[in-house]
Amino acid sequence: MLSPKVEKALNKQIKIEAESSQIYLAMASWAEINGFEGVAQFMYAQTDEERMHMLKIVKFVNERGGHALVSDLKAPPTQFGSAKEMFETLFKHEVFVSKSINELVDITLAEKDYATHNFLQWYIAEQIEEEATARTILDKIELIGEEKSGFYLFDKDIKAMITPLPTDI
Ligand code: OFO
């Protein structure tokens, strides 16, 4: 059984994951209309992944006797000055999500909820991976600079960084 504090914190995280999904959907759409086909594919995959992160928590909360809530979401940014600016926004967002997961872990420890603590280890590993991917992409963009042909290749390369979604949520 979840304590009210843990349930509230998990519901907050459900909202954050749903907002992440919206943010990446907005990025996918921006990339698509600006001719970044590979980046758009990457972002479409990311938006699905974030929805999977959200669903995983929804199912966990309900399984443990709580009530997973679907709430209203903050509107994502829809305009980005450049692909670089967009990936900087993505990186900052992932750092924010990692912080939120860490706070959630703190709450589970304070509440002595070791099952939820265990469940969250997957999210900690996932955040490490997502921050690393964002950092790698930003480094590549930095190297390319203003060079158009470099960006063309980058847009092709990024497709290789798309990870397939697991089927067992
Ligand atoms: Fe859900 O991992 Fe990114 O935000």
Side-chain angles (χ1 to χ4, degrees):
M1 193 73 188
L2 294 170
S3 75
K5 264 195 192 155
V6 171
E7 184 174 348
K8 191 169 170 220
L10 285 168
N11 269 315
K12 187 174 153 225
Q13 194 61 34
I14 287 173
K15 181 171 156 70
I16 289 174
E17 300 295 342
E19 284 172 348
S20 299
S21 182
Q22 292 295 88
I23 290 171
Y24 297 143
L25 180 59
M27 288 179 174
S29 178
W30 181 90
E32 193 161 51
I33 64 159
N34 281 282
F36 300 116
E37 193 212 322
V39 173
Q41 272 185 34
F42 176 85
M43 292 298 182
Y44 278 123
Q46 283 298 118
T47 187
D48 285 348
E49 200 171 316
E50 295 301 342
R51 183 175 157 77
M52 181 270 282
H53 294 174
M54 177 200 69
L55 282 176
K56 235 176 143 73
I57 308 175
V58 166
K59 293 187 177 176
F60 179 80
V61 168
N62 289 342
E63 256 167 36
R64 302 262 335 267
H67 182 187
L69 301 175
V70 177
S71 54
D72 58 339
L73 305 177
K74 196 161 96 197
T78 53
Q79 299 299 332
F80 306 93
S82 62
K84 182 180 176 196
E85 191 186 305
M86 192 173 74
F87 279 106
E88 278 165 356
T89 306
L90 181 148
F91 178 66
K92 274 193 215 141
H93 182 72
E94 287 305 335
V95 171
F96 159 77
V97 175
S98 299
K99 208 174 143 249
S100 168
I101 297 282
N102 286 342
E103 285 166 9
L104 193 44
V105 170
D106 277 348
I107 294 171
T108 62
L109 286 178
E111 294 286 298
K112 296 192 177 10
D113 181 346
Y114 302 114
T116 305
H117 182 268
N118 185 45
F119 167 75
L120 291 172
Q121 300 310 303
W122 182 87
Y123 285 83
I124 293 175
E126 183 71 11
Q127 283 311 121
I128 291 172
E129 209 178 284
E130 292 205 337
E131 277 189 36
T133 303
R135 224 180 266 124
T136 305
I137 292 172
L138 277 177
D139 287 348
K140 279 184 197 260
I141 294 178
E142 206 61 58
L143 276 176
I144 296 163
E146 296 302 308
E147 208 193 313
K148 282 235 163 26
S149 57
F151 220 97
Y152 177 77
L153 287 177
F154 164 76
D155 192 55
K156 278 184 175 306
D157 278 2
I158 195 170
K159 291 182 194 170
M161 296 176 88
I162 298 173
T163 41
L165 269 188
T167 43
D168 59 328
I169 299 170

